[in-house]
Amino acid sequence: MKRFSWDEMMNRYPAFFAIILLVVALTINFILQPNMFARDTLNSNMRVFLPIILLSVGQAIVILGGGIDISVGGIVSIVNTILATQVGLNGSPEKMWTFVFVSIGAGILAGAINGFFIAFLRLQPIITTYATSFLYVGFALFILPNPGGGIPAEIANVYRNTTPLGLPLAFYVIGVVLLVWMYIRSTRYGNYLYAVGGNAEAAYETAVPVTWVLFSTYVASGFMSALAGIAITMLSGSGNAEIGVPMTLTSITAVVIGGTALSGGVGGVAGPVVGAITLGIIQNIISFSRIDTWWETFVKASIIVVALAAPGIINLLRRKKV
Amino acid sequence: MRKFSISPPVAAILLAIVLFLLSGFLPNGYGSDINVAIAQATNIVRLAVFLGVIAAGQTLVIISGFEGIDLSAGSVVTLTAILTYVTVKGEDDKVLLALLISLVVGALIGFVNGLGITFLKISPFVMTLGMSGVVTGLIIIINHGNVSGKVAPIMTRLIARPLSPDIPIPNAIIIWIIFGFLMWLLLERSTFGKHLFAIGVNRVTAKLSGVNVTATNLAVYTLAGALAGFGGFLVVGNTGVVFIALGQPFLFPSIAAVAVGGTLLSGGKGSYWGTMAGAIVLTLITSLLTTMQMPDSVRRMVLGATLLVMISIYGRQRGFRQ
């Protein structure tokens, strides 16, 4: 039998550390909140986590391709304001469906704008999507200058309270996303994506359509941001043009905790999903541990820094022993 | 035949001059009064000083390459501004002590960033993002809702006022010019500067030619932290008040100023003159949009669009075919 090798596990499964972290976080959370696996508690947690999970999946695809997307929160805001103003608190389900599709279209368009500038004009991703994030949040504020509007409570409740076979709706959504990802990963496009993220120059030399692959990652991110926007609108039931802004940096943290390197070409989408759930659980633990409110931000941020540092610390300690 | 090209700092300054001249035609612009025009121009440059100083550290970490960026700059500014505020308590003879504290605290935070980035191999983006959260947590703990303090008269005199009643040049601008000269010495005339550009271009070749990559990298982040700390000291000297969100609005503009000034976000190439020009352009655009009394939504969209146009003109990376 082969001996267990930490290095091999870390190399072969970038999400390995994320899963350990999730198990630790879940255990602590379970001690603090013994009913956390009861159907309603689980559902009320998962429906809060889902928007960030969806956002992290889109972010992960961009990062795998070697880029970064600072505008995802802006796209969430656009979708939220479209739904809150166009469907309205008394809108019909048909109207909701119509504007769900409009929202998805808007997300894809916003992603295509990012992709155009980055892939075709060869601009630097971080500054480009920073610029477009101003465009998108500005546009959301243009649609809805002050918080207000919303979607009907019955429609919001479909998202909040649907638990097929006693499992949260979020589980099914995550399941579908992961299945689609596994399929994409197995196609030629999947290989192209990793090739571009790993070494774009080399990928170009071997006739990979680098420009189109890069472009597609931002479109995918726009699409996932739209889904996240729809989810968070159904969760909150109301409109606010600033709703997506704090979600951007969280999505990037989730991707990195999930073992997908910011340098591109390493990792996957399952890790970031685990990372996003872990971040949510950490927030839960902090709310339940009754630490002084003044200390909450500090404790949470410190836990995240330690989580980010842990793989590096383990590597350093191991290297010393050898 | 030589290809027509224009250096980014020059382009940024030209853009600023054109925009400023055009702004005279606005309904509440300076009109035909040359004195008002000069006063307005001086005031915009004075406001740009703070962004410019905060962006100095950002310039260094970005030149150092390897995805270098400092997302903790905004929260360091807030922290040192608060520390200055509570240390000085309106007394002139405590000002030097407050300046020292600002620099040391900034440097310490930068040093921790550097440790994480060099030894634990955490990507600069997430390391400094995580650090930003920790520092924000510290601010909340120190602040505890409110702080009592006061800036000293001498700070207001040296930062916010003009040189003398006869010479209407604000002291802040003079500080900035001296600061700019020191930055030029550091980047262009010192061994550290040479090593900085060397590791920004290629870490492997830098190492082979005898540059201590780890030490240089650690020094860059420490210095960037100290410079952000200095920025906080200046900002509170100008505003005279502190609040939790004081520094955060400087963060992304500091990155944008570096990019607009022609420093490559991928590292290895850039100048502080460019960043100074970028800071002036960004401050000018922001204040123009404010004087035009545009709604927040339009202001953000115009800012985003301008940024996109500027980086499209000269921020393009090399294509694959070349």
Side-chain angles (χ1 to χ4, degrees):
Chain A
M1 216 179 88
K2 251 181 79 188
R3 238 183 83 239
F4 172 81
S5 153
W6 172 267
D7 288 336
E8 199 189 318
M9 287 302 279
M10 289 291 279
N11 283 335
R12 210 191 282 176
Y13 308 101
F16 176 61
F17 183 76
I19 291 169
I20 297 180
L21 205 62
L22 178 66
V23 172
V24 173
L26 277 175
T27 314
I28 299 173
N29 194 355
F30 182 69
I31 294 167
L32 291 167
Q33 188 193 12
N35 70 339
M36 74 169 292
F37 292 110
R39 192 184 71 184
D40 290 342
T41 325
L42 194 61
N43 184 47
S44 69
N45 277 334
M46 288 309 295
R47 70 188 180 200
V48 174
F49 300 165
L50 188 60
I52 281 289
I53 293 172
L54 294 170
L55 209 59
S56 307
V57 169
Q59 188 71 260
I61 293 171
V62 172
I63 289 176
L64 275 177
I68 198 161
D69 192 348
I70 311 275
S71 74
V72 290
I75 302 175
V76 168
S77 287
I78 290 182
V79 167
N80 172 262
T81 51
I82 289 178
L83 291 174
T85 53
Q86 304 304 311
V87 179
L89 289 165
N90 301 312
S92 61
E94 292 76 34
K95 220 173 171 183
M96 180 73 189
W97 275 115
T98 311
F99 284 99
V100 160
F101 286 112
V102 170
S103 300
I104 293 176
I108 290 176
L109 179 67
I113 293 174
N114 288 335
F116 170 75
F117 281 104
I118 295 164
F120 289 97
L121 293 189
R122 308 259 334 122
L123 300 186
Q124 295 165 335
I126 185 168
I127 195 75
T128 308
T129 52
Y130 166 57
T132 57
S133 76
F134 272 92
L135 278 180
Y136 301 158
V137 178
F139 187 59
L141 274 168
F142 182 73
I143 302 174
L144 183 70
N146 298 305
I151 57 166
E154 311 87 70
I155 297 178
N157 283 336
V158 174
Y159 174 81
R160 292 173 186 154
N161 300 330
T162 309
T163 51
L165 305 172
L167 286 173
L169 180 66
F171 281 3
Y172 296 90
V173 178
I174 297 169
V176 171
V177 168
L178 290 182
L179 281 177
V180 172
W181 167 250
M182 279 165 68
Y183 169 72
I184 292 175
R185 177 79 190 81
S186 70
T187 61
R188 186 188 296 183
Y189 171 81
N191 290 331
Y192 283 172
L193 177 62
Y194 280 85
V196 170
N199 187 339
E201 306 260 331
Y204 183 81
E205 298 294 326
T206 48
V208 172
V210 175
T211 308
W212 283 102
V213 172
L214 272 181
F215 178 77
S216 73
T217 60
Y218 291 92
V219 173
S221 169
F223 172 74
M224 292 311 294
S225 306
L227 295 189
I230 294 164
I232 201 158
T233 308
M234 291 181 87
L235 176 70
S236 76
S238 60
N240 179 355
E242 306 264 8
I243 198 165
V245 176
M247 296 168 73
T248 301
L249 295 179
T250 314
S251 73
I252 297 169
T253 313
V255 170
V256 175
I257 287 196
T260 296
L262 278 189
S263 45
V266 179
V269 153
V273 169
V274 175
I277 297 175
T278 310
L279 286 179
I281 303 264
I282 289 175
Q283 179 62 52
N284 257 1
I285 293 172
I286 288 169
S287 331
F288 273 98
S289 61
R290 297 183 182 196
I291 51 167
D292 189 351
T293 333
W294 299 110
W295 285 77
E296 262 187 26
T297 313
F298 180 74
V299 173
K300 186 183 171 192
S302 304
I303 294 176
I304 291 172
V305 169
V306 170
L308 291 169
I313 294 175
I314 295 170
N315 276 341
L316 270 190
L317 293 177
R318 283 177 43 80
R319 228 182 300 156
K320 276 210 186 103
K321 261 188 254 167
V322 179
Chain B
M1 206 181 86
R2 249 182 84 226
K3 219 182 124 197
F4 173 76
S5 69
I6 184 165
S7 88
V10 177
I13 282 296
L14 284 179
L15 180 76
I17 292 172
V18 170
L19 274 177
F20 183 73
L21 291 178
L22 287 176
S23 76
F25 295 108
L26 292 173
N28 40 11
Y30 49 78
S32 56
D33 192 338
I34 188 77
N35 289 328
V36 180
I38 291 175
Q40 269 193 20
T42 317
N43 195 39
I44 285 165
V45 177
R46 189 183 73 84
L47 286 175
V49 171
F50 307 102
L51 177 57
V53 170
I54 295 164
Q58 202 70 259
T59 312
L60 296 181
V61 294
I62 289 175
I63 291 177
S64 81
F66 214 67
E67 298 160 17
I69 199 161
D70 185 0
L71 296 184
S72 66
S75 51
V76 171
V77 166
T78 313
L79 179 66
T80 57
I82 290 178
L83 290 177
T84 302
Y85 192 71
V86 298
T87 311
V88 172
K89 286 204 167 61
E91 292 168 41
D92 280 350
D93 49 0
K94 296 241 179 84
V95 169
L96 276 181
L97 175 69
L99 177 61
L100 191 68
I101 292 178
S102 298
L103 292 174
V104 170
V105 168
L108 266 179
I109 295 167
F111 183 68
V112 178
N113 279 334
L115 285 180
I117 291 160
T118 51
F119 290 107
L120 302 180
K121 314 270 179 261
I122 306 171
S123 90
F125 191 100
V126 277
M127 181 63 214
T128 55
L129 173 62
M131 205 56 199
S132 166
V134 174
V135 176
T136 306
L138 278 177
I139 294 168
I140 295 174
I141 296 168
I142 297 172
N143 206 33
H144 237 95
N146 60 333
V147 282
S148 61
K150 200 171 189 289
V151 294
I154 193 169
M155 288 176 73
T156 324
R157 173 81 192 80
L158 282 177
I159 295 166
R161 297 278 156 73
L163 193 59
S164 78
D166 303 322
I167 311 164
I169 304 172
N171 281 317
I173 297 183
I174 293 167
I175 295 178
W176 200 24
I177 292 171
I178 300 170
F179 182 81
F181 180 69
L182 293 176
M183 284 294 290
W184 176 77
L185 283 182
L186 181 74
L187 283 173
E188 306 292 337
R189 288 288 177 271
S190 75
T191 320
F192 174 78
K194 277 202 191 75
H195 290 180
L196 178 63
F197 282 104
I199 67 169
V201 173
N202 189 327
R203 300 220 159 174
V204 179
T205 49
K207 192 166 189 173
L208 291 176
S209 36
V211 176
N212 188 336
V213 176
T214 310
T216 310
N217 211 13
L218 202 54
V220 166
Y221 281 90
T222 311
L223 192 55
L227 289 174
F230 180 54
F233 175 82
L234 286 185
V235 168
V236 73
N238 181 53
T239 57
V241 288
V242 287
F243 47 96
I244 285 192
L246 183 68
Q248 217 56 33
F250 286 103
L251 174 60
F252 274 107
S254 76
I255 300 163
V258 175
V260 168
T263 297
L264 281 187
L265 290 190
S266 44
K269 196 183 161 214
S271 69
Y272 184 61
W273 298 125
T275 303
M276 290 173 91
I280 293 174
V281 172
L282 287 178
T283 311
L284 176 69
I285 294 170
T286 318
S287 65
L288 282 186
L289 291 168
T290 314
T291 43
M292 282 161 76
Q293 293 175 330
M294 288 290 171
D296 194 20
S297 57
V298 178
R299 237 187 303 174
R300 293 198 204 193
M301 284 192 277
V302 172
L303 193 63
T306 325
L307 204 54
L308 265 185
V309 171
M310 284 191 285
I311 54 174
S312 300
I313 295 172
Y314 52 72
R316 294 179 62 175
Q317 294 161 298
R318 206 160 46 84
F320 289 110
R321 272 179 218 96
Q322 285 137 15

